[in-house]
Amino acid sequence: MEIVTKVAEGLINYEGIHEKMKNLKRKCDHLKDREEDVKAELEYAEGLSLKKRRKVVENWLTNVASIKNEVEMMEQQVRESSRRSSYWQLHPKIARLTEQVTELNQQGQFPGGLTLEVHGNQQNELITARLIGQKFQQHKDEIWEGLRRNDMSKIGVWGMGGVGKTTLLTHIHNELCAHQDFFVAWVTVSQNFSIQKLQSDIAKEMGFTLENDNDERKRAAELVRRLRNMKNFVLILDDVWQHFPLDRVGIPAAENGCKLILTSRSLEVCRRMDCEKNVLVTPLSENEDWELFTEKLGHGRALSPEIEPIAKSLTKKCCGLPLAIITMARSMKGVGDIAEWRDALEKLKEPVAERNDDMGTEVFQVLKHSYDQLKDPKVEQCLLYCSLFPEDYIIDREKLIEHFIDEGFVDGLRNRRAGLDRGHTVLNKLENVCLLEAVIKKYDGKRYVKMHDLVRSMAIQTGRAFQFLVEAGEQLREIPGEEKWAEDLKKVSLMKNLLSHIPSSMSPKCSRLTTLMLNHNFSLKAIPDCFFSRMPQLRVLDLSRTGIINLPTSISELVNLIALWLEDCGKLTYVPSLENLKALRRLNLRETAITEVPHGLDMLLNLRYLNLDTKIEEIPDGILSKLSCLQYLAIDAELRLEEIMELSKLETFIGAFYDMNNFNTYVRWREENGGPSNYVLRLEKTELTVGYDYLLASGICKSNGRDERHVFLSGCEISKSKGREDSFVLPEDVQILVMRNCNDTASLCDIPSLHNATKLSTCKIRGCQGMEHVVCSCCSVPLIQYLDSLFLFEVKELRALIGADRCCASASASSNLLQSDMFSSLQLLFIRKCPKIKRLFMRDLLPNLKNLVELDVRNCENMVEIIGEASDEDDDDENQEAVSTTCSSVTYSLPKLTVLCLDRLPKLKRFCTSKIVFDSLKKVEICRCPKLSFNGDRIHVEISNWRTHIYSVVNSRIGEKIGEESRMLGTFFKNNL
């Protein structure tokens, strides 16, 4: 029986071994087919010199070759075996080979692809210059951060022509070439852009040729197919002037790790190309530009003591523009004659386009092309107009747009707001193509623009074709002679010079002149009557900030005059009759010495803008109501409400009230009838009257120009009439509230109408000697949630920001009564000369201060700590310290605090007894705080992620008397910077 069983098993094995061998061969044949496909694909890719086979593919091919030999040997063994008993030994070997072949078939799918992009020695590095300056390194770091992020596929690098964008990107390119995981291609797009040309340039860079020359879509499909197979591909497009759809070209950004980096002079191009990160490349700083200049002048070459200051002046004239610096250094290389250096400096005063050297060709052409690409005549005119201002002049955006309106660049729109918006749009465009630089002055928070010197030089030269004469800011003491006043001149700017007089017989014949700017000539006291007699087309005359006493009577003959600027002519007492100036749309008499309304004002029926914020005490009845086209009115005289209410087109109103009933009547009328959207309303006692411009200059009130909704209260009783019909009415949409010497108010909660002011963002309080707290703990006024800026000056009785609610007998400023949104939007807090306040914040308010950016505390003689357990001024300081010690293990955070200033706080002992984490602190100023200790026992402060650029630690004691605490404080910051 046993023998029969073995015979049966042998027969089964004999038949089974051949079936298993057939199955193994079938799998092996499939493996061979895959091997041939892989080899063919590798041959094609490697033949283009673009890719190399992955190591895993190479190992797979080796294993396939080995397993094929083993299968062939196994097949031979099965064929040659004559004894069925030997099948017992072949069964496990065939099973093992079958398993290995199956595994290799699975591995041969290669989901990660067969090849790696060629790198390092097979990609050509580009020749480039050394990067100079900390900013360039920061820009490189930003770009690399974007390349490493999976959620970022498109990076824009923008800046003015010649600022170093291409140089920066060549460094990125070369670093990518040396990087194992990236393949990089560089294509210069430039000015002669077309989709087909860009497609061909990319294909050429990649080493292949696109077919279907006339079919853009098929070319795009072929290009995207090839690029999709390339992992971690980086395409650099240099000098992009206009946006285009990537899919039209065939660029598969955001697929398979593909990245796109583009350079452009326009931020708008970067935005419209959907770049997730936009890196602005700015000019070099003063020290960096000198380093670049000396490097290009020649390594190790020392300039003589006489030449070096001239060379530094030359470098400064290049305004940090690397192209200009390099060009200038190249032209001065090897020059040892001081006369040539002086001559080069003198030449820089000429417009770059007029020069025959490299600066006049290379630099001018780069900048001029940016101008040519604007392709909008009105935007071009706006840029050229900016060249009428002096070199390095910081131009108020709002005033500049007013000039644009006068010139008709943004005119013809439905209202004043539309004109202002269009002007801001134009300036944004010029900023975004780097033909203007954005500036924000901290003291007033307003936006300004500035023109790069070389851009201005280009614009002046370009403006000459439009008959511009520009000699602004040239320190001229005499007005240019009549030979310079060509008859075809259209715009003349002599602003900001030292002109003191104009010859009595001077009468330039300029029959086409439309704009004349003589402003900022403070010593100019008189203008001859004949001066304007041969300027019949004059439309814009700016005499603001001059010393003139009387206007010449010939002004009355300028029947085409659109705008007359006389602001800040503090000595001007007389204006001749204006009745013939029927075309006049703007009359600005702000801050002049005129005491009576100019004759003929009521005849100016086209007047849109009237600023009478001056010494005029009374306006005769019926004049204002005739000026039905007025869109802007500023007036400091006694108001007649009926006339103001008749001005249906008025969009901005700046005026003073000396009677609360009149003020309330106007506010109610405005809200019921939709009056001016912008306003500055002053309610004050006559003897305390101060002009709005004083408020701006003193920092009590600030204007952002575009949206003015200010209320200024001075010497008013605004809370005693609480609950009565004559109660003070505050506009519901007020944005900025300034209170000065309103001494009847103990807290802002005492102003009933403040409960409706949901738009209030800034509150400034000066004096107000009855105020003990800013708000009460249970206060529900909207400002506790929406207020972002709070300024407290000389509030002598102020005890704390938050006080007990007097309507709750048991209330105290404790945490259980604090509302969760109290001061949650606060960004800026300034406090000055408030002698009775001991503690600024209670500790339980800290979680609400997550948006606080700047904290500035000065001249508070009894301030003991900034953050305390409670804020009641009667709490004993020693008890406070004992109580707060028990809570010192709790860690708090002021995550957005960037600026911390503490000055003249003689009793300040500590910032807080708890641990405070500052993640964003950049500027620290601590001055004259002799008792303040940062020694770890009195205050625990942890500053993480330090990026502090400026810090100042000054003790009131100087020299050898500087105490231990000051040294510890200095050491603390030094160790953490």
Side-chain angles (χ1 to χ4, degrees):
M1 186 67 180
E2 183 178 349
I3 295 174
V4 173
T5 302
K6 289 183 176 181
V7 170
E9 290 175 353
L11 289 171
I12 292 171
N13 289 333
Y14 175 76
E15 293 175 356
I17 199 74
H18 286 284
E19 287 299 322
K20 289 183 178 181
M21 193 65 220
K22 286 179 183 179
N23 183 48
L24 174 58
K25 277 206 66 182
R26 189 165 53 250
K27 289 179 180 291
C28 192
D29 289 342
H30 180 72
L31 183 63
K32 290 177 182 178
D33 291 342
R34 179 58 184 151
E35 179 190 31
E36 290 178 8
D37 289 343
V38 169
K39 286 182 175 179
E41 191 173 341
L42 287 174
E43 182 179 358
Y44 175 75
E46 292 174 339
L48 295 174
S49 300
L50 292 174
K51 305 194 177 190
K52 69 174 184 178
R53 63 186 65 186
R54 292 177 178 270
K55 190 68 176 175
V56 66
V57 176
E58 194 171 328
N59 293 338
W60 182 82
L61 289 172
T62 301
N63 292 336
V64 169
S66 176
I67 203 72
K68 285 194 305 181
N69 290 333
E70 290 189 50
V71 171
E72 289 176 3
M73 292 173 61
M74 177 55 65
E75 187 179 14
Q76 183 71 20
Q77 288 182 31
V78 170
R79 226 179 10 251
E80 294 178 353
S81 179
S82 58
R83 293 183 298 112
R84 290 188 174 92
S85 59
S86 64
Y87 294 158
W88 292 90
Q89 299 173 352
L90 296 180
H91 263 292
K93 293 181 179 180
I94 293 175
R96 176 181 59 79
L97 287 175
T98 301
E99 184 179 347
Q100 290 176 351
V101 170
T102 301
E103 184 178 354
L104 284 172
N105 270 314
Q106 292 173 346
Q107 292 175 352
Q109 301 307 310
F110 298 113
L114 302 178
T115 58
L116 287 172
E117 291 78 3
V118 176
H119 62 87
N121 56 356
Q122 290 177 287
Q123 295 188 80
N124 294 324
E125 291 191 357
L126 300 174
I127 299 173
T128 189
R130 182 173 74 92
L131 290 180
I132 289 178
Q134 183 181 2
K135 286 185 180 179
F136 273 117
Q137 187 58 50
Q138 291 173 355
H139 298 332
K140 274 181 59 180
D141 293 343
E142 283 186 78
I143 295 170
W144 268 107
E145 178 191 359
L147 289 172
R148 294 188 179 101
R149 286 178 53 175
N150 294 328
D151 61 342
M152 192 172 290
S153 60
K154 296 179 284 294
I155 302 170
V157 179
W158 68 289
M160 68 183 297
V163 80
K165 303 182 296 296
T166 300
T167 301
L168 173 64
L169 261 294
T170 55
H171 282 265
I172 295 292
H173 173 276
N174 292 346
E175 290 176 11
L176 284 167
C177 286
H179 203 283
Q180 181 73 22
D181 297 329
F182 289 99
F183 177 77
V184 59
W186 180 294
V187 175
T188 300
V189 181
S190 201
Q191 304 154 22
N192 302 321
F193 168 80
S194 71
I195 294 292
Q196 287 202 358
K197 182 177 186 301
L198 182 56
Q199 289 172 329
S200 298
D201 289 345
I202 294 173
K204 182 179 179 181
E205 179 71 12
M206 304 307 297
F208 57 85
T209 303
L210 289 173
E211 300 177 358
N212 303 304
D213 284 346
N214 298 320
D215 195 323
E216 181 184 291
R217 289 186 299 173
K218 289 183 179 179
R219 289 160 59 87
E222 183 181 355
L223 188 60
V224 78
R225 178 180 62 80
R226 289 177 179 267
L227 297 183
R228 274 176 179 160
N229 291 328
M230 305 183 68
K231 307 294 181 182
N232 297 329
F233 171 60
V234 179
L235 175 62
I236 297 175
L237 298 181
D238 188 35
D239 204 18
V240 179
W241 285 87
Q242 56 183 293
H243 69 280
F244 55 86
L246 295 178
D247 54 355
R248 272 191 67 188
V249 179
I251 300 173
E255 296 183 27
N256 297 337
C258 291
K259 307 277 188 177
L260 172 67
I261 310 175
L262 62 91
T263 73
S264 178
R265 300 187 194 183
S266 170
L267 175 60
E268 182 181 358
V269 168
C270 297
R271 286 172 174 168
R272 299 190 71 171
M273 295 288 288
D274 294 324
C275 293
E276 294 95 350
K277 177 186 279 291
N278 294 308
V279 179
L280 171 61
V281 182
T282 54
L284 298 173
S285 68
E286 188 170 337
N287 292 331
E288 293 167 349
D289 60 5
W290 177 243
E291 181 182 352
L292 178 61
F293 183 85
T294 53
E295 178 183 288
K296 297 304 177 182
L297 197 63
H299 289 289
R301 185 183 185 281
L303 294 171
S304 69
E306 295 80 14
I307 289 178
E308 183 171 320
I310 303 174
K312 287 186 174 180
S313 296
L314 275 173
T315 307
K316 190 175 181 181
K317 284 285 186 181
C318 296
C319 298
L321 193 66
L323 173 64
I325 296 167
I326 292 169
T327 303
M328 178 57 66
R330 187 171 57 213
S331 67
M332 300 307 295
K333 206 164 190 172
V335 175
D337 189 339
I338 191 172
E340 285 193 52
W341 284 90
R342 286 197 298 261
D343 184 56
L345 183 58
E346 188 66 26
K347 283 181 180 178
L348 273 184
K349 297 178 182 178
E350 304 170 5
V352 288
E354 295 184 353
R355 303 175 57 184
N356 296 320
D357 55 10
D358 291 343
M359 287 287 284
T361 54
E362 295 183 28
V363 179
F364 175 78
Q365 292 304 324
V366 168
L367 300 177
K368 179 64 162 56
H369 190 67
S370 292
Y371 167 82
D372 293 337
Q373 290 298 309
L374 291 174
K375 296 180 178 178
D376 183 331
K378 289 198 172 182
V379 178
E380 292 172 1
Q381 287 177 315
C382 290
L383 177 70
L384 297 182
Y385 193 89
C386 294
S387 70
L388 299 179
F389 293 83
E391 185 177 287
D392 294 326
Y393 193 80
I394 296 177
I395 313 169
D396 185 318
R397 278 178 70 113
E398 203 73 19
K399 285 188 178 180
L400 181 57
I401 294 171
E402 299 286 4
H403 282 288
F404 290 170
I405 293 173
D406 295 343
E407 297 287 344
F409 302 155
V410 293
D411 201 8
L413 300 171
R414 65 184 183 279
N415 53 34
R416 173 177 166 80
R417 165 55 58 212
L420 292 173
D421 289 344
R422 180 68 56 81
H424 282 289
T425 299
V426 169
L427 291 180
N428 290 342
K429 180 171 185 177
L430 293 173
E431 287 178 6
N432 291 342
V433 296
C434 299
L435 289 172
L436 290 179
E437 303 171 27
V439 178
I440 296 180
K441 290 184 179 179
K442 185 177 178 181
Y443 81 89
D444 62 5
K446 291 176 65 175
R447 298 169 67 193
Y448 295 79
V449 294
K450 179 177 176 291
M451 210 172 199
H452 191 282
D453 288 355
L454 295 177
V455 174
R456 178 176 180 269
S457 183
M458 177 273 295
I460 288 175
Q461 174 59 24
T462 306
R464 289 183 180 177
F466 295 90
Q467 290 78 48
F468 282 24
L469 171 62
V470 182
E471 295 195 19
E474 297 293 340
Q475 304 298 303
L476 300 180
R477 295 184 178 276
E478 295 182 357
I479 196 165
E482 292 195 40
E483 69 279 359
K484 282 197 172 185
W485 295 75
E487 186 170 356
D488 61 350
L489 280 177
K490 289 185 178 179
K491 298 189 189 304
V492 173
S493 175
L494 300 173
M495 71 173 289
K496 205 178 181 184
N497 279 302
L498 303 175
L499 303 180
S500 58
H501 75 285
I502 297 176
S504 59
S505 61
M506 188 171 185
S507 178
K509 185 179 181 182
C510 299
S511 59
R512 300 176 64 186
L513 188 66
T514 62
T515 301
L516 177 59
M517 300 173 69
L518 289 168
N519 49 313
H520 288 77
N521 282 285
F522 300 103
S523 300
L524 183 60
K525 294 180 173 58
I527 298 176
D529 196 57
C530 62
F531 186 74
F532 300 114
S533 61
R534 297 197 288 177
M535 302 177 184
Q537 298 301 318
L538 196 62
R539 292 167 53 88
V540 178
L541 176 60
D542 192 346
L543 298 173
S544 55
R545 298 197 176 186
T546 59
I548 57 174
I549 299 172
N550 298 306
L551 278 182
T553 57
S554 57
I555 287 284
S556 302
E557 300 172 9
L558 300 176
V559 295
N560 290 303
L561 200 64
I562 295 290
L564 180 57
W565 291 74
L566 298 167
E567 65 175 336
D568 292 316
C569 293
K571 298 179 181 179
L572 180 63
T573 58
Y574 170 74
V575 174
S577 176
L578 304 176
E579 61 181 347
N580 293 329
L581 306 186
K582 300 291 195 302
L584 198 66
R585 294 187 176 192
R586 180 187 306 275
L587 177 60
N588 191 338
L589 295 170
R590 183 186 67 85
E591 290 298 301
T592 61
I594 294 172
T595 58
E596 295 181 357
V597 172
H599 180 265
L601 180 64
D602 57 334
M603 304 295 289
L604 306 182
L605 302 184
N606 284 310
L607 208 60
R608 307 287 199 272
Y609 181 108
L610 176 60
N611 194 325
L612 293 177
D613 189 5
T614 182
K615 298 180 179 180
I616 295 175
E617 296 180 359
E618 184 179 1
I619 297 180
D621 293 352
I623 288 184
L624 291 180
S625 59
K626 291 182 180 179
L627 307 179
S628 58
C629 291
L630 275 182
Q631 298 172 341
Y632 179 103
L633 174 62
I635 190 168
D636 196 30
E638 189 74 31
L639 293 171
R640 285 174 176 79
L641 290 181
E642 296 78 10
E643 293 194 53
I644 301 300
M645 293 174 184
E646 289 180 23
L647 300 174
S648 60
K649 295 183 180 181
L650 201 61
E651 297 178 43
T652 298
F653 173 55
I654 299 174
F657 297 83
Y658 306 101
D659 178 86
M660 184 178 292
N661 288 332
N662 283 346
F663 181 91
N664 289 346
T665 300
Y666 178 77
V667 171
R668 291 191 182 104
W669 170 85
R670 178 189 169 274
E671 296 190 350
E672 291 173 3
N673 296 277
S677 55
N678 295 333
Y679 56 81
V680 179
L681 305 179
R682 292 157 42 200
L683 174 59
E684 51 190 298
K685 290 184 177 180
T686 305
E687 64 268 19
L688 293 176
T689 298
V690 293
Y692 177 60
D693 292 289
Y694 165 76
L695 303 179
L696 292 175
S698 65
I700 300 174
C701 189
K702 294 182 182 179
S703 167
N704 64 10
R706 298 189 67 182
D707 296 304
E708 293 182 332
R709 299 190 184 104
H710 299 186
V711 171
F712 173 74
L713 309 173
S714 178
C716 308
E717 295 182 354
I718 55 178
S719 66
K720 285 184 178 180
S721 55
K722 183 176 180 181
R724 294 167 50 186
E725 290 184 2
D726 61 348
S727 177
F728 168 69
V729 179
L730 191 67
E732 292 184 1
D733 60 352
V734 63
Q735 295 173 328
I736 297 178
L737 174 63
V738 181
M739 297 172 56
R740 183 172 183 262
N741 297 332
C742 298
N743 298 327
D744 68 324
T745 307
S747 165
L748 293 178
C749 299
D750 291 346
I751 306 175
S753 58
L754 197 57
H755 292 255
N756 299 321
T758 58
K759 305 293 185 182
L760 189 66
S761 62
T762 299
C763 184
K764 304 187 179 187
I765 302 171
R766 181 182 290 271
C768 299
Q769 304 311 333
M771 183 169 288
E772 298 180 0
H773 308 101
V774 177
V775 295
C776 299
S777 58
C778 296
C779 183
S780 60
V781 294
L783 69 83
I784 66 169
Q785 179 181 357
Y786 300 114
L787 196 71
D788 61 43
S789 301
L790 178 60
F791 300 80
L792 303 168
F793 305 97
E794 300 175 343
V795 188
K796 304 296 185 183
E797 297 298 320
L798 187 71
R799 311 302 175 92
L801 289 184
I802 305 171
D805 194 334
R806 290 170 295 178
C807 65
C808 277
S810 61
S812 63
S814 58
S815 61
N816 62 331
L817 291 177
L818 288 181
Q819 299 183 49
S820 60
D821 58 1
M822 183 168 280
F823 293 120
S824 58
S825 298
L826 193 65
Q827 298 180 29
L828 304 177
L829 176 59
F830 284 67
I831 178 168
R832 302 276 195 282
K833 296 183 179 180
C834 297
K836 290 193 176 181
I837 189 169
K838 287 187 174 183
R839 296 173 184 87
L840 189 58
F841 301 124
M842 61 189 77
R843 181 160 41 196
D844 292 314
L845 186 65
L846 275 174
N848 294 14
L849 301 177
K850 57 184 180 296
N851 289 306
L852 188 64
V853 174
E854 185 167 356
L855 177 60
D856 193 309
V857 185
R858 302 173 192 260
N859 298 92
C860 296
E861 57 198 57
N862 283 302
M863 183 78 70
V864 175
E865 61 184 347
I866 303 300
I867 302 166
E869 178 64 19
S871 59
D872 193 330
E873 73 280 0
D874 295 325
D875 287 345
D876 181 72
D877 183 54
E878 293 183 1
N879 291 338
Q880 277 291 302
E881 189 169 348
V883 171
S884 59
T885 301
T886 62
C887 304
S888 61
S889 61
V890 179
T891 300
Y892 295 91
S893 174
L894 291 172
K896 293 186 180 180
L897 190 68
T898 304
V899 178
L900 172 63
C901 298
L902 306 174
D903 184 16
R904 290 185 176 90
L905 307 175
K907 293 186 180 180
L908 184 68
K909 295 182 178 180
R910 52 192 170 269
F911 188 85
C912 179
T913 51
S914 293
K915 195 174 190 179
I916 309 289
V917 176
F918 303 89
D919 289 321
S920 304
L921 205 57
K922 292 183 179 179
K923 178 178 179 181
V924 178
E925 291 183 4
I926 300 179
C927 308
R928 291 164 283 250
C929 300
K931 293 186 178 182
L932 182 63
S933 174
F934 277 75
N935 60 14
D937 297 326
R938 306 287 295 280
I939 179 169
H940 306 273
V941 178
E942 176 183 311
I943 300 184
S944 60
N945 193 22
W946 266 86
R947 297 186 297 275
T948 302
H949 303 305
I950 304 172
Y951 75 96
S952 173
V953 181
V954 182
N955 196 281
S956 59
R957 295 167 289 177
I958 59 174
E960 297 179 355
K961 294 184 179 181
I962 293 180
E964 181 64 22
E965 287 112 347
S966 272
R967 285 196 293 273
M968 287 183 175
L969 183 56
T971 303
F972 170 80
F973 285 117
K974 181 179 179 181
N975 293 339
N976 284 277
L977 284 173

